[in-house]
């Protein structure tokens, strides 16, 4: 019976859709599902609100598609400004992160409410377990596994 209980572990999978989710410098990296607003001052036709698609490539007027996954907001602003400079000299570009939807944790195993939970860069394992309603009486609290996806490997 003890073997069965020890096999009934809680497996917390911090699997996110981007690499390097928790970089040392703590700058947020754009990922699929995030909502961005890109605008150019005094150019109303160059304002666009968009959701980053699963492939991470966005379109913006006048410039070629941009792969935005794993870019910071500041880096994306620089890319857009540089590419627009041919058409709009001295463009004042603003990039806003309207919604964070790419950071998710998946809690499976012997918890009260297994499932997908949104997280931030500061979310702890304890907070995610609390969101999942805590452990069930049959969970082995000394045998929790945390798996992270990094460079497309778990």
């Amino acid at each position: 019976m003890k073997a069965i209980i020890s096999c009934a572990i809680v497996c917390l999978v911090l699997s996110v859709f981007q690499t390097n989710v928790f970089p040392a410098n703590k700058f947020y990296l754009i990922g699929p599902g995030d909502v961005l607003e890109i605008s150019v001052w005094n150019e109303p036709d160059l304002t666009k609100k968009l959701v980053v698609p699963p492939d991470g490539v966005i379109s913006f007027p006048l410039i070629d598609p941009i792969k935005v996954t794993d870019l910071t907001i500041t880096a994306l602003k620089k890319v857009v400004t540089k590419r627009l400079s041919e058409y709009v000299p001295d463009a004042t570009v603003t990039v806003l992160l309207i919604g964070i939807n790419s950071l998710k944790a998946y809690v499976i195993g012997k918890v009260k409410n297994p499932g997908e939970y949104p997280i931030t860069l500061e979310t702890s394992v304890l907070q995610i377990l609390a969101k999942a309603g805590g452990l069930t009486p049959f969970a082995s609290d000394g045998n929790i596994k945390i798996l992270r996806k990094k460079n497309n490997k778990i």
Side-chain angles (χ1 to χ4, degrees), residues 9-21:
I9 62 171
V10 175
C11 184
L12 176 63
V13 180
L14 292 176
S15 176
V16 291
F17 297 106
Q18 60 190 28
T19 58
N20 255 351
V21 172

Side-chain angles (χ1 to χ4, degrees), residues 3-46:
I4 294 173
I5 291 175
S6 62
C7 287
I9 62 171
V10 175
C11 184
L12 176 63
V13 180
L14 292 176
S15 176
V16 291
F17 297 106
Q18 60 190 28
T19 58
N20 255 351
V21 172
F22 302 103
N25 59 13
K26 297 275 187 176
F27 288 111
Y28 181 75
L29 301 177
I30 300 167
D34 289 341
V35 182
L36 303 172
E37 183 176 303
I38 304 173
S39 61
V40 179
W41 184 75
N42 224 10
E43 297 288 342
D45 292 337
L46 295 179

Side-chain angles (χ1 to χ4, degrees), residues 7 15 17 33 45 64 74 80 88 92 100-101 107 109 126-127 129 137:
C7 287
S15 176
F17 297 106
D45 292 337
D64 291 331
T74 305
V80 172
V88 184
T92 302
I100 298 175
N101 299 319
V107 182
L126 184 60
Q127 290 169 326
L129 283 174

Side-chain angles (χ1 to χ4, degrees), residues 17-131:
F17 297 106
Q18 60 190 28
T19 58
N20 255 351
V21 172
F22 302 103
N25 59 13
K26 297 275 187 176
F27 288 111
Y28 181 75
L29 301 177
I30 300 167
D34 289 341
V35 182
L36 303 172
E37 183 176 303
I38 304 173
S39 61
V40 179
W41 184 75
N42 224 10
E43 297 288 342
D45 292 337
L46 295 179
T47 296
K48 192 170 184 183
K49 186 174 178 180
L50 46 94
V51 177
V52 178
D55 66 356
V57 179
I58 63 166
S59 297
F60 193 75
L62 301 178
I63 58 177
D64 291 331
I66 304 168
K67 181 153 178 70
V68 297
T69 49
D70 298 332
L71 291 180
T72 63
I73 298 300
T74 305
L76 177 57
K77 177 183 173 180
K78 289 177 184 177
V79 169
V80 172
T81 302
K82 183 177 179 182
R83 291 192 185 180
L84 277 175
S85 64
E86 181 180 335
Y87 307 101
V88 184
D90 300 322
T92 302
V93 175
T94 302
V95 178
L96 300 174
L97 181 62
I98 303 296
I100 298 175
N101 299 319
S102 63
L103 295 180
K104 298 175 180 151
Y106 300 89
V107 182
I108 59 175
K110 298 296 179 184
V111 293
K112 292 180 182 168
N113 301 308
E116 175 183 284
Y117 295 92
I119 61 172
T120 68
L121 293 178
E122 303 298 322
T123 305
S124 70
V125 173
L126 184 60
Q127 290 169 326
I128 297 168
L129 283 174
K131 286 182 180 183

